[in-house]
Amino acid sequence: MPYWLMKSEPDELSIHDLQRLGQTRWDGVRNYQARNFLRGMQSGDLFFFYHSSCPEPGIAGIASISRAAYADPTALDPHSHYFAAKASSEKNPWSAVDVAFVEAFSRIIPLAELKTLNALQELPLVHKGSRLSVMPVSAEQWTTILALR
DNA sequence: GCCAACGTTGGC
DNA sequence: GCCAACGTTGGC
């Protein structure tokens, strides 16, 4: 079973929001590389929930994929912040998944700490200027990060 | 197809 | 608020 990492701005959706909701749709991904990773996800896959663009960027917990990729409805909604003018119901290039809460860490594992670990050097998250918001995590990387909780 | 301009992400 | 990285757009 593959592992993943996904970024969310906690102002939009934090791990605690997801804890309260139990489950929600993960939509608004508008980058093809990230979308392709979304499409590779299967129900039951686990991912690290990363808080971005906030005072304490880092990994905040774990969630799971509860529904595999499907057409992202926000791309077709003119009122949505994620509206994609070129998308249509016949041809919607964007995908969403549903996610379910698994665990909120007792502390945020800061990006600065992740960057110090040799075992994570291949993880795009720690690369300077990395903007990829959905990425695979190897079993070794997963274990390394879990040990930091 | 090239590439400059522009927009967005996201850490700091 | 600044700015590096990098994806997208559009003229040519």
Side-chain angles (χ1 to χ4, degrees):
Chain A
M1 190 96 78
Y3 297 110
W4 311 92
L5 181 145
M6 298 207 282
K7 297 180 182 176
S8 177
E9 299 189 13
D11 285 351
E12 291 232 353
L13 180 77
S14 71
I15 188 73
H16 302 290
D17 293 332
L18 181 59
Q19 183 166 27
R20 182 168 42 78
L21 294 168
Q23 181 159 325
T24 194
R25 187 176 66 213
W26 197 284
D27 54 29
V29 171
R30 294 293 179 270
N31 169 280
Y32 286 105
Q33 194 181 359
R35 182 210 64 183
N36 290 343
F37 287 132
L38 276 187
R39 290 182 175 179
M41 294 175 173
Q42 294 182 310
S43 185
D45 286 0
L46 295 173
F47 68 93
F48 285 125
F49 193 117
Y50 179 86
H51 285 178
S52 67
S53 294
C54 59
E56 197 182 12
I59 297 177
I62 299 174
S64 67
I65 305 303
S66 52
R67 181 181 169 191
Y70 56 97
D72 181 351
T74 66
L76 306 178
D77 176 5
H79 301 298
S80 170
H81 176 63
Y82 301 114
F83 178 61
K86 293 177 183 172
S88 63
S89 52
E90 296 76 26
K91 205 165 187 186
N92 181 350
W94 301 115
S95 297
V97 295
D98 288 351
V99 304
F101 175 79
V102 173
E103 176 182 341
F105 294 163
S106 54
R107 66 167 191 132
I108 307 273
I109 304 170
L111 177 62
E113 183 175 342
L114 299 171
K115 282 182 170 174
T116 67
L117 299 174
N118 285 333
L120 301 180
Q121 280 181 5
E122 303 293 313
L123 188 65
L125 180 74
V126 305
H127 296 171
K128 183 177 160 68
S130 172
R131 293 161 47 184
L132 187 62
S133 64
V134 180
M135 67 192 75
V137 172
S138 73
E140 292 76 13
Q141 290 164 344
W142 184 267
T143 304
T144 298
I145 293 168
L146 271 191
L148 302 173
R149 277 179 298 177

